Amino acid sequence: MGQNDQDEFPQQPGHYRVTDLRMLAAALGFPSNSLESCLPPESLHKGTINSKELHRLLDLGYFTPALHFTFNMKSGLYNVKLILKCLDVLDRSALSFAGIQEAKVAFTAYEHLDQKGVKAETSMLLKAIKMCGFAVSPQKLSMYMRQKRQRFVEPGRVQLYEFLDLLAICEPRNTFSFLEERVPSTDKTGSGLYQMDDMRRFMLTPDEKLARHLNRRFQHIDSWMLPQETMATSQPLSFRKYQQTEHLNGSRPQPPQSRIESSDVRAIDEPWTLLTPVPQLRCHCHTPKRDKTILTEQDIQKTQSNIEELLYQMETLGERTRWDLNWKLDYYLPGYREHSATRYIPADPQPPKTLKKEVL
């Protein structure tokens, strides 16, 4: 966007200059003066406006008519919710003006043609997150999407303000680097294969290596913690420090040390539960299982109704065909029905009598 490093965020958190509003409008794809023109003159104090007053004006509808299907294919309420979310991430220093612009470009690249948002698929969202310069564990993203699926405005779609919330659990990609290690020629893997012949690690793409690393760290570290994640956190969960606190009656239980030492990232001081896996005993005895009913009562009634309908169609086929034929003949030959009704209808022929040969 051409701004300096000190202009990435507002100079005073919670206070926005006219320049900051112009930068926010440009980051969202609006004209630079679109937000400034909606402000009443008395709301600006020495050329700045605080976040609380800006939220109040947005809620009162000062921006809704000016942004309603004017600069993009979105309604005024959609754009107001987007601006509110941008103010939220700027106040928390979670994203800068440049980060909001990159998120807007990535979201637009993967948004569906019907303009109802990006499909809530893990693979597509990972590509959009990569365009923003962030990375996240695919397993963590899938868990997050399952938790938020019922709250989506459009079923199966992610909106831009929801996508900005999604970036809060991601980490910058430039913090990860993978170095190729030398493989000894005489060492073997757990499956008995020489490491120099094990080409599976070398056939992985950088994205697959990063996804495997993040999944492994999520399983070994983040899975021991069960915090109630909210979007008020300005940093990813894995970047927050874990503060060990000792109580008077004892110390807080810790997860196994081998799990924590597998990564340089520590956990956060939040409530968590220690889970101990218990192996299940297998019994070779036969346990009868109750089979589930294949057909329900409704299916049986529906089938019986179909059978009765089919029998009725079969029994009345001749009569319906005869009636349709008479109707067509009467249409093309007027008076055919009356003439056919007066015709002589012979009686049913008697079945032929069987002649028995007389025995002499």
Side-chain angles (χ1 to χ4, degrees), residues 135-298:
V136 66
S137 169
Q139 296 180 359
K140 185 176 183 179
L141 179 60
S142 300
M143 183 180 299
Y144 176 84
M145 296 302 296
R146 286 195 298 269
Q147 294 176 356
K148 299 294 183 179
R149 193 176 301 276
Q150 302 297 332
R151 304 180 185 178
F152 290 155
V153 177
E154 185 72 21
R157 300 293 182 89
V158 178
Q159 308 303 322
L160 180 53
Y161 49 85
E162 297 170 342
F163 183 71
L164 293 177
D165 277 342
L166 182 60
L167 294 179
I169 65 172
C170 302
E171 306 171 21
R173 294 181 65 91
N174 54 13
T175 58
F176 301 97
S177 60
F178 298 95
L179 301 177
E180 297 294 340
E181 58 181 4
R182 294 183 177 273
V183 179
S185 59
T186 57
D187 292 350
K188 294 184 177 181
T189 61
S191 58
L193 183 67
Y194 285 102
Q195 292 187 9
M196 64 177 301
D197 295 334
D198 189 5
M199 302 297 296
R200 290 173 295 181
R201 294 184 298 174
F202 302 100
M203 298 178 67
L204 297 177
T205 62
D207 292 341
E208 292 175 347
K209 292 181 181 179
L210 180 59
R212 179 176 295 185
H213 170 73
L214 293 175
N215 284 337
R216 188 181 302 112
R217 192 183 65 182
F218 175 71
Q219 295 171 1
H220 291 178
I221 297 180
D222 295 349
S223 60
W224 289 94
M225 302 172 297
L226 301 177
Q228 297 294 332
E229 290 191 23
T230 60
M231 292 302 103
T233 56
S234 60
Q235 293 183 352
L237 175 63
S238 303
F239 275 0
R240 286 176 265 158
K241 268 190 158 185
Y242 180 84
Q243 302 175 354
Q244 297 181 353
T245 57
E246 295 182 357
H247 301 279
L248 297 177
N249 297 332
S251 59
R252 185 175 180 174
Q254 303 294 329
Q257 191 67 19
S258 60
R259 295 276 181 132
I260 297 299
E261 292 178 354
S262 61
S263 177
D264 296 335
V265 186
R266 295 185 179 180
I268 186 175
D269 187 11
E270 291 189 11
W272 56 274
T273 305
L274 180 62
L275 301 178
T276 303
V278 179
Q280 297 182 358
L281 300 178
R282 296 183 178 180
C283 179
H284 297 284
C285 56
H286 174 70
T287 303
K289 296 182 180 180
R290 183 178 180 180
D291 296 335
K292 297 182 179 179
T293 56
I294 301 177
L295 295 177
T296 60
E297 187 66 24
Q298 296 179 355

Side-chain angles (χ1 to χ4, degrees), residues 19 26 33 69 111 117 129 138 217 294:
T19 305
N33 61 343
F69 290 106
E111 188 174 13
I129 291 172
R217 192 183 65 182
I294 301 177

